[in-house]
Amino acid sequence: MASPLTQDFCRLVHSSDELPESVITSEPILQAVSVKKINAPGASGLDRYRVILSDGTHFLQGMLATQLNPMVDSKELDKNTVIKLKTFVTNVVQGRKLIIILTLEVVPWSGEKIGNPTNVEQAAPLAAPQSVLKPSTTANVNASKPVAKQPQKTAAAPMGPLYPIEGLSPYQNKWTIKARVTQKSDLKHWSNQRGEGKLFSVTFMDDTGEIRATGFNETVDQFYDLLQEGKVYFVSRARINIAKKQFNNVNNEYEITFENSTEIQPCDDESVPQIKYNFKSVGDLGDLQKDELCDVIGVVKEVGELGSVTSKATNKPFAKRDIQLVDQSGQSVRLTLWGKQAETFQADDEPVIAFKGVKVGDFGGRSLSMFSSATMALNPDIPEAHSLRGWYDAEGRSKHFQAYTSATVSNSDGQITKPSEIKTIGQAKDEQLGMSDKTDYFTTQATVSFIKSETFSYPACANPDGCNKKVTDEGSGWRCEKCDKTWPSPIHRYILSMNVMDYAGSFWITAFNEVAEQIMGISANELMEMRDNGNDVEFQRSFQKASGRTYNFQMMAKQDSFNDQPRVRYQCRRAALPDYPADSAHLVSLINSISV
DNA sequence: CCCCCCCC
């Protein structure tokens, strides 16, 4: 059988300083005669595979970009697999030339080894490398010092070969990327123990990936005005470092730092792609940990008032504005804008906005916050936005959206629980919620049948900072151990014990101060005063008035022991008046789930 | 070399 391999490719690579663009894009076909895992994992912690690549006559070393790992894991790429190199770069590591394969295609092959290749390092160099693969019409006598294809006549020539962003690494120095600025930060000044200075950063993107780049001090003067969001540039001769992933969500294990020698040239090639998103559905934010960064697209359902907060850390005031985002998940989430963005934000027509790199918070279950490296695109021309717009205008607008609640906050193990499910009291008991080691959260619609009036509160510390600890009556005053203070009188706080029922059963639940106050309609202090004043009729009526009402209770079921017997305590964390349209929608979905 | 991203 004729060899499918690209003849003399290994010698061409080995004898060229830098490969011509025509070779880089020629999609050579080689056989991977060996595929081995490298012992030292890469900076990303991912496995790295080394391949020995043969053209049938010689072999040389190659590395696989980590995104190709699944092909090795699945054995799609294995010993003696024939592959077509779709994108690759060459690199010299420890004096040895190797190929880094970024994307490849498997070429069908019997699995036999082709020929008896020898190490290209021992082979005689190729006399005229450029003639082998380069079409003769564009043959370039300076092929050993090639330049990439000129993209546009208005564009300046880049330095060195064009690299895909994906192919950049700290071990290369002669590279040029052609990339779009998808995000540009404001100019920032800093001052700390180690000194002071100014900086800005941008995110570059091409069709292989994205990378963050930062300029400090003099390079700010050189490049801050030149680099504009949305425009395309050639960038070369900058330093590449390991990225500190905790500070941005740009998907690259490396980042660029501009240096004085860095060259940046504008380019008006429109083929470079626009911003890339990896959207997380609003309903799936529970999958993410607090402080993770994510991309979200949603309809702006509500725009809050402009407000201001004072930072606890710096004592500086910040403008803030909350908006509510909804999507097809039926869930809504709050997103907070800060500073200038909060002040200038306007969206009264329920637009679609795509957010990139917003930070996940756990306030009220799940919330989002703009991060300095986050971007916001109003009605972007992307499929997800069009589909969201169509859905919202057709049906979403009239839908009820489930807001995140604190019932989705991380539990005592620090694990995130999903938005609480709706259960009947019978289901909560049948499913033994709260009987395991972990805390269970659920929502139940039930009616208050009875509220205990004998004990309904405890005397709490009157410290205005909200200590709320129990205080003891010492005759001369009420003493708080924690605050080491004695108060003339305590503040009574509810521990309200209620029996609630639905058609499937009843149970006793406890509501603490805020929820209990909402249910009773008056404070525990006021109630205590009635009792102390002997106002029994009014006192008893308060309990009767609060009974017979129906709520959607957000419940927490947790095990504890009483007289050495394990039992479940049901705590009510929130009580909301029933939302009948939403409840009906829930019933409809239950009915739909059982119909054929 | 920043890396704070705030509040309730």
Side-chain angles (χ1 to χ4, degrees):
Chain A
M1 199 192 293
S3 165
L5 306 182
T6 303
Q7 282 183 42
D8 252 346
F9 181 76
C10 293
R11 274 211 291 169
L12 171 67
V13 170
H14 189 62
S15 35
S16 310
D17 246 10
E18 281 157 10
L19 286 175
E21 173 93 356
S22 61
V23 173
I24 290 188
T25 58
S26 66
E27 302 191 351
I29 296 174
L30 299 168
Q31 185 171 39
V33 293
S34 157
V35 182
K36 286 232 166 72
K37 194 187 281 188
I38 296 173
N39 285 326
S44 60
L46 295 169
D47 289 334
R48 275 254 176 215
Y49 289 97
R50 188 181 65 166
V51 286
I52 305 290
L53 297 166
S54 157
D55 59 16
T57 314
H58 298 102
F59 64 77
L60 51 63
Q61 302 229 31
M63 302 265 280
L64 296 182
T66 51
Q67 73 266 18
L68 297 173
N69 288 3
M71 294 185 86
V72 180
D73 299 335
S74 69
K75 302 239 184 272
E76 200 184 339
L77 172 53
D78 205 353
K79 190 177 174 176
N80 290 345
T81 303
V82 172
I83 55 177
K84 181 192 277 184
L85 311 194
K86 302 286 285 184
T87 41
F88 69 95
V89 293
T90 60
N91 197 355
V92 177
V93 173
Q94 291 166 348
R96 174 180 277 171
K97 185 147 232 165
L98 55 78
I99 285 181
I100 298 163
I101 307 173
L102 303 166
T103 54
L104 62 81
E105 244 170 47
V106 170
V107 176
W109 180 248
S110 66
E112 278 169 56
K113 188 174 176 185
I114 300 168
N116 189 19
T118 58
N119 193 340
V120 73
E121 287 166 22
Q122 271 100 59
L126 214 51
Q130 68 276 21
S131 65
V132 176
L133 292 165
K134 212 171 172 72
S136 58
T137 47
T138 58
N140 181 346
V141 286
N142 295 318
S144 63
K145 286 267 186 285
V147 280
K149 168 176 70 184
Q150 296 288 325
Q152 293 277 318
K153 56 177 182 292
T154 52
M159 295 279 308
L162 268 191
Y163 268 56
I165 284 177
E166 196 177 47
L168 295 178
S169 81
Y171 316 108
Q172 283 141 203
N173 42 33
K174 283 197 177 177
W175 52 264
T176 297
I177 55 168
K178 184 172 76 178
R180 188 184 300 277
V181 172
T182 55
Q183 195 264 352
K184 178 184 166 186
S185 76
D186 287 334
L187 181 57
K188 190 201 152 173
H189 295 265
W190 87 86
S191 166
N192 59 26
Q193 304 97 308
R194 283 183 284 184
E196 53 181 62
K198 57 185 175 180
L199 75 130
F200 79 111
S201 53
V202 292
T203 304
F204 285 115
M205 169 171 293
D206 70 7
D207 51 13
T208 71
E210 53 183 348
I211 192 164
R212 187 111 181 118
T214 304
F216 293 95
N217 303 322
E218 316 91 274
T219 64
V220 173
D221 303 331
Q222 279 184 64
F223 303 125
Y224 184 75
D225 291 333
L226 175 67
L227 290 170
Q228 296 295 325
E229 215 166 273
K231 300 234 167 87
V232 179
Y233 301 86
F234 292 112
V235 182
S236 59
R237 303 180 67 181
R239 194 166 74 235
I240 298 180
N241 301 317
I242 306 287
K244 292 173 192 149
K245 301 296 286 181
Q246 66 271 36
F247 300 128
N248 68 68
N249 73 325
V250 173
N251 183 24
N252 200 311
E253 52 186 290
Y254 304 116
E255 59 192 20
I256 290 175
T257 305
F258 297 140
E259 296 179 301
N260 287 330
S261 58
T262 295
E263 297 198 4
I264 301 179
Q265 306 273 0
C267 163
D268 54 12
D269 184 349
E270 281 309 308
S271 69
V272 177
Q274 301 285 346
I275 194 161
K276 272 198 188 71
Y277 294 97
N278 181 18
F279 291 120
K280 194 76 185 168
S281 153
V282 172
D284 289 340
L285 294 173
D287 298 348
L288 303 176
Q289 298 299 313
K290 175 171 150 59
D291 296 336
E292 263 191 82
L293 300 179
C294 69
D295 303 346
V296 170
I297 187 164
V299 175
V300 180
K301 181 89 181 158
E302 269 178 55
V303 180
E305 294 294 308
L306 180 64
S308 172
V309 298
T310 305
S311 162
K312 279 179 181 164
T314 62
N315 260 338
K316 277 193 216 160
F318 285 86
K320 78 157 236 183
R321 189 193 297 270
D322 288 340
I323 63 173
Q324 294 292 329
L325 285 185
V326 300
D327 70 4
Q328 290 102 321
S329 69
Q331 193 95 19
S332 73
V333 69
R334 189 187 81 175
L335 185 146
T336 305
L337 303 164
W338 299 99
K340 205 182 281 176
Q341 268 177 333
E343 286 164 10
T344 58
F345 188 83
Q346 266 191 316
D348 42 15
D349 52 351
E350 302 188 319
V352 169
I353 300 189
F355 292 89
K356 183 169 177 62
V358 288
K359 188 163 144 173
V360 176
D362 61 2
F363 184 78
R366 274 288 169 276
S367 59
L368 296 170
S369 176
M370 258 336 241
F371 198 65
S372 67
S373 63
T375 64
M376 181 165 72
L378 182 71
N379 295 317
D381 187 14
I382 55 175
E384 292 93 338
H386 297 305
S387 121
L388 194 53
R389 178 85 267 153
W391 164 81
Y392 190 78
D393 291 344
E395 48 177 317
R397 179 171 281 117
S398 57
K399 274 204 158 35
H400 170 85
F401 292 91
Q402 177 78 46
Y404 276 97
T405 69
S406 44
T408 60
V409 170
S410 51
N411 65 20
S412 49
D413 301 321
Q415 287 165 334
I416 302 300
T417 55
K418 285 283 189 179
S420 63
E421 277 184 73
I422 297 171
K423 306 276 187 193
T424 65
I425 293 172
Q427 282 173 325
K429 289 183 174 176
D430 289 348
E431 295 173 21
Q432 309 199 328
L433 297 180
M435 305 270 261
S436 65
D437 290 342
K438 71 177 178 61
T439 307
D440 286 308
Y441 297 90
F442 63 99
T443 299
T444 199
Q445 188 173 95
T447 303
V448 178
S449 64
F450 182 76
I451 306 173
K452 275 190 190 166
S453 59
E454 298 81 34
T455 53
F456 59 86
S457 69
Y458 73 97
C461 174
N463 196 332
D465 73 2
C467 160
N468 295 343
K469 285 275 178 288
K470 189 175 177 175
V471 289
T472 45
D473 188 1
E474 293 186 320
S476 57
W478 297 77
R479 172 156 180 79
C480 176
E481 292 297 333
K482 184 173 173 259
C483 299
D484 193 21
K485 279 202 174 109
T486 302
W487 309 93
S489 57
I491 293 178
H492 294 278
R493 289 177 67 83
Y494 280 111
I495 307 183
L496 200 63
S497 205
M498 301 182 283
N499 191 269
V500 301
M501 60 205 312
D502 66 7
Y503 69 90
S506 72
F507 56 11
W508 287 92
I509 68 176
T510 305
F512 291 107
N513 203 48
E514 287 71 21
V515 178
E517 207 166 83
Q518 177 194 346
I519 286 167
M520 294 298 292
I522 58 173
S523 70
N525 250 6
E526 291 170 290
L527 201 56
M528 193 57 91
E529 215 174 291
M530 275 181 210
R531 198 177 72 174
D532 291 349
N533 294 342
N535 208 343
D536 285 346
V537 175
E538 204 186 346
F539 177 75
Q540 288 302 336
R541 182 172 287 169
S542 298
F543 287 89
Q544 286 158 18
K545 257 168 50 186
S547 302
R549 297 180 191 233
T550 301
Y551 297 93
N552 286 344
F553 292 108
Q554 280 175 19
M555 300 301 305
M556 185 171 96
K558 198 174 186 173
Q559 195 181 61
D560 73 353
S561 58
F562 184 73
N563 290 340
D564 285 341
Q565 290 295 310
R567 62 166 186 180
V568 179
R569 290 184 68 93
Y570 298 100
Q571 187 195 319
C572 168
R573 296 155 60 88
R574 251 170 89 169
L577 291 176
D579 178 344
Y580 291 110
D583 296 341
S584 305
H586 173 66
L587 291 175
V588 167
S589 72
L590 284 182
I591 292 165
N592 286 340
S593 71
I594 54 172
S595 59
V596 280

